[in-house]
Structure formats: structure tokens, C-alpha cells
Amino acid sequence: MQDSADVVVIGSGGFGASTAFHLVERGAGDVVVLDRHDIASQTSPRAAGLVSHARTSDLMVQLVSDAAEKLMRFTGDTGQPLDWTRSGSLKVARRPQDVPVIAGDVERGRRLGLDVEEIAPEDAHRLNPFLHVEGVLAVLRVGNDLYFDPAHVAIGYARAAEARGATLEPHTTVTRVDIEDGHVTAVVTDRGTIHTPVVVDAAGAWTKQVAAASGIEIPLVPTRHQLFVTEPLDGVRAELPIVRVMDAAVYVRPCDGGLLWGGYEADPRMLDMNALGPGFAIADTPLDADVLRRLADDVAAQLPVLCTAAVREHRGGLPTMTADGQHIVGPAPGADGFFVAGGCNVAGLSVSPAIGDALAAWIVDGEPPFDLAPLALGRFAPDSIPQDRLERDAAWEYRHFYGAV
Ligand SMILES: Cc1cc2nc3c(=O)[nH]c(=O)nc-3n(C[C@H](O)[C@H](O)[C@H](O)COP(=O)(O)OP(=O)(O)OC[C@H]3O[C@@H](n4cnc5c(N)ncnc54)[C@H](O)[C@@H]3O)c2cc1C
């Protein structure tokens, strides 16, 4: 393994691989990507692959819009395959208190140039016959939304980065980042040390652990998220819009002739990566089908198919939740050269093309390409969030991902 680099990226998931690709594209010099497992093999390929433009801030709508553009031209930009379908989506309110959220989504979306409108429940049923109108009070249609094959993105960016000169080092575990006089000097691994002035902690579920080894606190919590893929079903077409039920926090989209669906329970399982030990891989995450069955029961009136369709795949992973539901992107205060791309909040893969590009620009130019302060690590005062409060707030954000109040 080489002993020096201009930038070392820790982690080859969506966040790390996209950052590495954009670093090389922007002429950042000698870029090395380290991963404790196979390249792009952990949470990223297990995602649902949904892109959601209906977000709670202008910044996130703009980042998701940029990311969606990059996903749709992924093959042209990277030379790597990516299957995607711009199906649009339907966001469903079942409770009166959630209806104004949809009105707010329409206002923000129109102001920012999205194809959004509120439509009648019957029109939503016509667009996606698997959605029944019983108990549906309001529906937001988002024409810009799409879904993509989650297995393609991180590996595609990693391969494209390698083809442009980056070095990929799988099965290489970072044990510590050396920081001297407030500056990053080296990355220490189980295979040797790489001297570097810049490191990107994009270690997914291990992000907090990697930073903590160098005395940097990153308040996020690995949180289990799972989905089912059904056997093929009559009537499923790839263009059927994604459906999201707000208060139940359940989503469904077409997948290989069947449906892929999952959801966000109120009491998600949160894990301590230190307790899981060094041999743990995301494939070892204990899954629980009963969580998904309870969510299916909750939406049985609107999406009865979820209660009856035969399941052909059950998968899950460990996205990381933050106390305010926002990502953590940018430099670590007090550690010059230490950058973070984490706190994915179960939505990191879809926005990783834009986050990776923005972070690469920040590293190369020395300043952010636009105002990313709402995502700064510094918004959390060091040690200010006790673990129990972090977990409580993160669980609330998890359950309320679709803006239900
Ligand atoms: C079931 C499910 C559905 C989801 N659906 C969606 C969706 O529809 N849309 C969406 O945008 N997102 C979705 N997500 C979330 C998405 O998967 C994550 O936001 C994204 O994959 C996070 O990428 P990452 O790069 O942070 O993590 P990862 O892909 O896990 O990559 C982190 C990498 O860091 C490596 N690493 C860790 N520690 C070290 C170390 N010490 N040294 C070296 N390497 C290290 C790991 O091996 C790993 O490869 C879903 C997630 C799940 C589980």
C-alpha cells in the first residue's frame, strides 16, 4: 500500500465513492479510497433506491434536484451502468393534520421549479391502481421523483474513480486518523499508515467510531432499516409512481415485475458498532419481518397488496440517524483537513451524487460551493447531546421521514 496521498477517503459506499469520483474529476491529485470490506458492499447496495424531492428545506430540495440530474446522466458521466425510472411519486395524507404539509410541499416545490401538484385520491388510484382511496384525504404528485438500482451507484462511482486514477484498497480497516497541532497528518490502518493532509470520514454505520478514535464526536446513531421485495405481480409496470403513506411512513415502488416496499417503525432498533465487534458486516444485521408485517397492517386499507404478496427478498442495513434528521457534511471543527459525509438519515444514497460533488469542491477550492451550514457538524455543540436524547430524537425523525406532524 502506498504511504502518502493527497486525500484519503474512508468508506466506499455512496458518500465515499461519490466524493472520491468528484475529487478526481476536480483534479484533487492522488486519491485513495479505503474500505474495511469489499468495495461498495455494505449499506448502500441494500437501499430502496428512491429519490424524494418533497423535502423540508430549500437546501435539501436543491441538493436532491442536483443529485437526480446526476443520477439520470450517471452512465454518461461515469461510463458505468445505472438503471433508473422517472416514475414520479404519490405522497398520501390520511390524517387531517398532515394535509397542510402537502400544501407546503406544493408551495416550496413550485417556487423551486418542481413538477408538483395536489391531486384527487381517485386520480392517484388511476395513476397507481395498487393505491386504494379509502381513508385517503390528500395526495401530492411529484413528477420529478425517480427510483434507481441501488446496487449500481456506489460501485459505479468507485470504478469510475479508479479508472480516472484513484486507488481502491478493500479489506483495509482504518483504526485512527492522526491529528497534530489541529491538522490531519496521516491515516493509520491495519495494513500500514498513509500520510495525508485531508481525510473524508464516509464510513457509514462506523462514521462515529472512526471519528471517535481521533477524539472527534459525531452525534449519529446506526439505525436498522428493512424492506421486502415481492414476487412478480399482475399489473405491476415499471412506470407506476412510487407511493408514500405519510403517517404510517410506508413506501412502495415497482421492482422487477413485483413491488419493493418498506417503512419506518416508531421504535427502530439502534445499534452500537463497538458492541458488534470488528468482524461485523452489514449482512449480519439481524432482520425482523414482523416489523414490516405490522407496517403492512397499518396501510392495509390503502395498500392491501402488501398484506398478500409473496415475499422473495428481505433485506436491511444500518443507515445513520441524527437528532434533527439532517445529514452531517463538511469539516470537523478544530481538525483541519478532517471532513465528514454521514448522518444519511435513510436518504443518503439518492443525494450522494450531489453531496460528493459539493464536498469535493469544498476540499479542492478550500470553501463550500454554496451554503452548507445547515448540514455542518458544528451545529451540534461537542458532547451536548446525551445518548438517550440522541436516540429519542433520532427515532422521532426516523418515524416522521415523510413530514407527518
Ligand atoms: C433497506 C434500506 C432502504 C433504503 N432506502 C433508501 C432510499 O430509498 N434512498 C436513499 O437515498 N437511501 C436509502 N437508504 C439509505 C442508504 O442506503 C444510505 O443513506 C447510504 O447507503 C449510506 O451510504 P454510506 O456511504 O454512508 O454507507 P455505506 O454504504 O455503508 O458505506 C460505508 C463504508 O465504509 C466502510 N468502513 C466503515 N468503517 C471503516 C473503517 N474503519 N475503515 C475502512 N472502511 C470503513 C464500510 O465497510 C462501508 O463500505 C436505505 C437504506 C436501507 C438499509
Side-chain angles (χ1 to χ4, degrees), residues 86-108:
R86 189 174 158 169
S87 61
S89 74
L90 304 167
K91 178 166 149 179
V92 173
R94 306 188 298 180
R95 305 179 310 170
Q97 62 265 44
D98 294 329
V99 174
V101 176
I102 285 186
D105 287 337
V106 171
E107 183 281 318
R108 179 181 294 105

Side-chain angles (χ1 to χ4, degrees), residues 1 8-11 33-38 169-177 187-194 203 206 209-210 213 277-280:
M1 198 170 65
V8 174
V9 178
I10 307 170
V33 181
L34 308 177
D35 203 295
R36 66 190 300 150
H37 295 295
D38 286 335
E169 297 282 5
H171 304 287
T172 307
T173 299
V174 173
T175 52
R176 184 177 87 232
V177 175
V187 173
V188 181
T189 82
D190 58 350
R191 293 180 53 224
T193 295
I194 304 178
W206 294 266
Q209 191 185 45
V210 166
F280 179 83

Side-chain angles (χ1 to χ4, degrees), residues 5-11 19 23 32 34 174 176-179 183-188 194 196-202 210 214 216 330-332 335-341 359 363:
D6 293 304
V7 185
V8 174
V9 178
I10 307 170
T19 304
L23 279 167
V32 178
L34 308 177
V174 173
R176 184 177 87 232
V177 175
D178 280 345
I179 300 168
H183 299 271
V184 167
T185 57
V187 173
V188 181
I194 304 178
T196 181
V198 180
V199 61
V200 180
D201 179 357
V210 166
S214 305
I216 296 168
D336 192 32
F338 194 112
F339 290 81
V340 182
L359 202 50
I363 290 166

Side-chain angles (χ1 to χ4, degrees), residues 10-15 34-37 42-44 46-50 172-174 202-204 206 210 225-227 251 316-317 319 344 346-350:
I10 307 170
S12 63
F15 278 147
L34 308 177
D35 203 295
R36 66 190 300 150
H37 295 295
Q42 298 301 298
T43 290
S44 291
R46 294 175 167 80
L50 305 177
T172 307
T173 299
V174 173
W206 294 266
V210 166
H225 187 68
Q226 328 172 64
L227 58 77
Y251 57 83
C344 77
V346 208
L349 192 60
S350 54

